[in-house]
Amino acid sequence: MITVYDLGPGKVPSHLGLSPHVRKAIFTLNYKRLPCKVVNLTLDEVESTAKSVGAPAVFKNSDGSPKYTVPFIHDSDTGKAVTDSFLIAEYLDEAYPSTPKVIPSGTRALQHVFVETISPKIPLLAPVYMPRMADFSAPGMVEMFVRRFGPFPPPPTAEQIAEIWKKVEDGINELNSAYAGTEGVFLTGDKPVFADLALAAMIGHVKIAFGDESEEWKRARGWIGGRAGRIVDEIIKYERVSA
């Protein structure tokens, strides 16, 4: 059994956890039909739990010390622990070669660049959706974040919100060129690869934060010439854990 570690729990029962980066790993596992379970951790539990299962820190804090983050997984069948959604996808392709590959041969560099391009975009919306955090996170999570990172900044003005959305939209729409000429919805055709799963995880966070019927989600659906919404629609079914 593969265990995925996330921050949480969340208060939105139709969605798992809080981190879009963890959702990348969950999408990957369920697309491959690999049984898994999700364990929610508080911020204070991440480092000790990662160390207890042997999951390495792949990032560093500003002072150079190891930075332990979610997602990380522990595979009880192999004894392997892996941190970072991209590295998790690579591990799963190698460890379970009979499952659909999400990083096919020859696509690693392209997908890595694609994912690194996506990753900074959606977090730019943090000042907009952070005030809503209490609506979709469990009691105590907000207090924990404040204790760790300090008070949330004041909500942005309407003018600032408009500027933030425009910046994110322009950034995401830069991906139009990556999808140009592809057949089907996904980056390489009619089957998703890790880049598509990652895109759905990041953009789908807007859906979770603001709601399925919100104007914010309707706007995000239209990104990349409407492809963003279609990709999320196709991949969201891989959100539920299989065990």
Side-chain angles (χ1 to χ4, degrees):
M1 173 67 74
I2 297 172
T3 302
V4 187
Y5 294 90
D6 192 6
L7 292 176
K11 286 199 306 189
V12 183
S14 59
H15 299 287
L16 293 171
L18 293 176
S19 170
H21 300 293
V22 176
R23 200 163 285 109
K24 298 174 193 176
I26 292 171
F27 285 161
T28 302
L29 283 156
N30 284 332
Y31 176 64
K32 288 175 167 289
R33 298 186 181 277
L34 292 170
C36 61
K37 65 179 180 179
V38 174
V39 172
N40 289 305
L41 304 173
T42 67
L43 283 171
D44 296 333
E45 294 172 328
V46 171
E47 180 172 345
S48 61
T49 304
K51 289 179 176 178
S52 74
V53 301
V58 296
F59 304 105
K60 292 185 181 296
N61 293 304
S62 57
D63 62 1
S65 61
K67 181 178 182 179
Y68 291 88
T69 60
V70 296
F72 58 92
I73 66 167
H74 180 261
D75 186 344
S76 62
D77 291 336
T78 65
K80 183 74 172 177
V82 185
T83 304
D84 183 71
S85 58
F86 195 89
L87 298 179
I88 290 169
E90 286 192 303
Y91 163 74
L92 295 173
D93 273 357
E94 180 178 352
Y96 299 95
S98 64
T99 64
K101 284 194 176 295
V102 293
I103 307 179
S105 178
T107 69
R108 186 188 190 282
L110 168 66
Q111 292 205 61
H112 193 268
V113 169
F114 186 98
V115 172
E116 290 299 301
T117 300
I118 300 166
S119 294
K121 307 296 186 185
I122 298 299
L124 295 175
L125 283 173
V128 178
Y129 63 68
M130 195 63 76
R132 301 177 58 89
M133 187 173 174
D135 295 335
F136 59 90
S137 60
M141 287 295 292
V142 173
E143 290 81 358
M144 182 175 59
F145 272 86
V146 170
R147 186 176 73 250
R148 177 69 66 89
F149 302 113
F152 291 169
T157 64
E159 182 178 352
Q160 289 170 329
I161 290 173
E163 291 175 357
I164 291 169
W165 275 99
K166 181 66 164 57
K167 185 173 184 179
V168 172
E169 185 170 343
D170 288 347
I172 294 292
N173 283 338
E174 290 173 4
L175 299 173
N176 265 314
S177 59
Y179 282 99
T182 59
E183 296 181 5
V185 174
F186 302 115
L187 188 64
T188 60
D190 60 353
K191 295 181 179 179
V193 292
F194 182 73
D196 300 298
L197 302 174
L199 179 67
M202 297 300 291
I203 294 180
H205 203 59
V206 177
K207 176 186 177 80
I208 295 168
F210 294 99
D212 295 2
E213 302 302 322
S214 66
E215 291 302 316
E216 289 85 355
W217 174 234
K218 291 175 183 176
R219 177 172 184 170
R221 284 188 61 86
W223 293 342
I224 323 178
R227 189 183 294 266
R230 297 197 300 274
I231 290 174
V232 172
D233 289 344
E234 288 292 324
I235 290 176
I236 200 73
K237 62 188 176 185
Y238 299 117
E239 184 178 46
R240 305 312 302 174
V241 292
S242 49

